[in-house]
Amino acid sequence: MKFNNIKLATIALLVSFLALNCSDDDDTGSMEPTGPNFTGIYTQEDQMGRPGINTVFVEMVDKNAFNRTIPSAQNAAFQTKFQTKLEALNPAHTDAAYTNALGFNSEQFTGVLATDVLTVSLTGTTTFFDGTNVLTGRTLADDVISVELLLIFGGPMGTDNPGLTNDNVDGNDKPFLSSFPYLASPW
């Protein structure tokens, strides 16, 4: 009998705790979603129009400044720093007559790179680089890292420094889908 009284007292205590925690204090407003709040000041935190450009050409001390600089102001602010970095990566670019596969010398090439936007052709071929079309967009299958390596290290014919002009990743691990969302499902 004493054990039953302890059980009953424990159950009564638990019920009183539950009743205390089930108050109506959350019924003061509408349950409809309110939507996001866009008030306040927002800052651009990352800039990645072209893969690898920010990673390779922007020094760590300049990352925040680069990421917060609007693209129309990036060339003036960062082109010379990009040129210095390009010439350090491939000293052949210190010669003003040396060009890459686009026919750009280091100043011209870094002028294109410093404005980190992905340009897209609305009427022609969309590709990162196919030997003819240059920076006219990007398809999922474009090997952008190998293209960037080729443009940095490959010289005018793309044949200089063959060990540095390809990332040797020749395809996706799974085929792309033929309809949206186009990306293969995860493993």
Side-chain angles (χ1 to χ4, degrees):
M1 182 74 129
K2 200 174 194 182
F3 185 68
N4 283 337
N5 287 341
I6 292 173
K7 282 186 193 176
L8 288 173
T10 303
I11 291 171
L13 189 59
L14 288 172
V15 168
S16 66
F17 280 131
L18 289 173
L20 180 65
N21 288 326
C22 293
S23 67
D24 289 344
D25 65 351
D26 61 343
D27 293 338
T28 59
S30 170
M31 295 303 286
E32 296 297 317
T34 59
N37 179 350
F38 291 110
T39 60
I41 298 172
Y42 293 89
T43 340
Q44 174 82 24
E45 291 295 328
D46 196 11
Q47 192 82 239
M48 200 62 79
R50 292 188 207 110
I53 302 304
N54 185 330
T55 305
V56 172
F57 286 94
V58 181
E59 296 293 337
M60 211 42 138
V61 297
D62 291 330
K63 288 286 185 190
N64 287 336
F66 183 79
N67 287 330
R68 292 182 180 141
T69 301
I70 59 172
S72 61
Q74 286 176 329
N75 191 299
F78 295 98
Q79 184 276 327
T80 56
K81 291 179 180 191
F82 276 38
Q83 186 172 347
T84 300
K85 182 71 169 214
L86 175 65
E87 292 171 357
L89 289 169
N90 183 357
H93 283 287
T94 59
D95 178 355
Y98 184 82
T99 61
N100 64 13
L102 301 176
F104 293 164
N105 66 21
S106 83
E107 183 179 0
Q108 294 164 326
F109 184 44
T110 56
V112 170
L113 296 180
T115 304
D116 191 16
V117 295
L118 181 62
T119 52
V120 177
S121 172
L122 299 177
T123 58
T125 301
T126 301
T127 185
F128 202 68
F129 175 73
D130 63 7
T132 304
N133 299 288
V134 180
L135 304 176
T136 58
R138 179 179 172 204
T139 66
L140 287 173
D142 285 348
D143 191 348
V144 295
I145 300 302
S146 284
V147 169
E148 290 168 357
L149 290 170
L150 177 101
L151 296 175
I152 292 168
F153 298 106
M157 303 304 294
T159 56
D160 295 0
N161 304 303
L164 299 175
T165 58
N166 191 328
D167 65 4
N168 296 305
V169 177
D170 297 325
N172 202 32
D173 55 341
K174 286 184 162 184
F176 295 114
L177 303 175
S178 59
S179 60
F180 186 82
Y182 304 107
L183 298 173
S185 61
W187 302 273

